[in-house]
Amino acid sequence: TLVMHAFASGGQEGQQRELEALLSKPERLQACDLALFAYDGSSPSSFGEALALLKRVEQVGSGLLPCCLVATSEKVDEGVVGTSLAVCQALKMVKPFHLPPSSLSKGPKGSAGNSTCRLEVMRQLAKVAAQPSLSIPQTDERIAQQQYQLMVRRLTTGLAVSAGVVSLALIAIKVYSSTNTAAAE
């Protein structure tokens, strides 16, 4: 089951309040399976707003929410397409896909173009939901957090190994001293 809820970043005041309410409670974001950020593929400012919202959701959420970018316009600007591809590559996310509004309209029966596009979008969303690690944004904050966690794990492992070596050395000294004491008597 796919449940979607739309928020307009620069839109209506009611939607803005709903978005702020969602972002104020991280547990609500943790209940989501994926976040889809739609932008006007012909507008660099629209892409910028979608990217800012994506980064904000990633910071507020648990950092484990897969995200998708979707261009929703009939005509796309090549500069915006290039930027969105570069951003997705930098964040290690699946590449954004294009969903023209005409593909969502109910066309005449047997309209293969519309149903093919919708089917492709559903396949993309299913792919992201099935393999979330492919679309979890790797922001600078997330990378720093992962490096810190790795350092802590390595330090803990090093301390445990060191404690084991010291314990074995103390046992060896105890055994050696007890055998020397027994031999001297």
Side-chain angles (χ1 to χ4, degrees), residues 10 19 29 41 52 56 63 65 71-72 80 82 90 119 123 134 141 153-154 157 165 168 174-175:
L19 177 61
L29 279 177
R56 191 165 165 214
L65 181 62
T72 59
V80 174
L119 183 60
R123 281 187 187 142
L134 297 177
E141 295 85 10
R153 280 195 307 268
R154 286 181 177 170
T157 303
V165 169
L168 284 175
K174 180 95 171 162
V175 169

Side-chain angles (χ1 to χ4, degrees), residues 32-102:
C32 298
D33 291 324
L34 69 97
L36 185 116
F37 299 89
Y39 61 95
D40 182 349
S42 63
S43 169
S45 63
S46 176
F47 175 72
E49 289 175 8
L51 182 60
L53 184 57
L54 180 145
K55 288 183 176 182
R56 191 165 165 214
V57 165
E58 202 282 329
Q59 286 175 348
V60 170
S62 63
L64 299 174
L65 181 62
C67 300
C68 293
L69 288 167
V70 180
T72 59
S73 60
E74 295 297 330
K75 296 179 182 176
V76 291
D77 180 80
E78 292 304 317
V80 174
V81 170
T83 303
S84 63
L85 285 171
V87 165
C88 286
Q89 187 175 15
L91 294 176
K92 295 182 175 72
M93 294 172 42
V94 295
K95 67 179 185 173
F97 50 98
H98 183 229
L99 178 63
S102 63

Side-chain angles (χ1 to χ4, degrees), residues 150-162:
L150 178 63
M151 180 187 70
V152 168
R153 280 195 307 268
R154 286 181 177 170
L155 181 63
T156 306
T157 303
L159 288 173
V161 168
S162 298

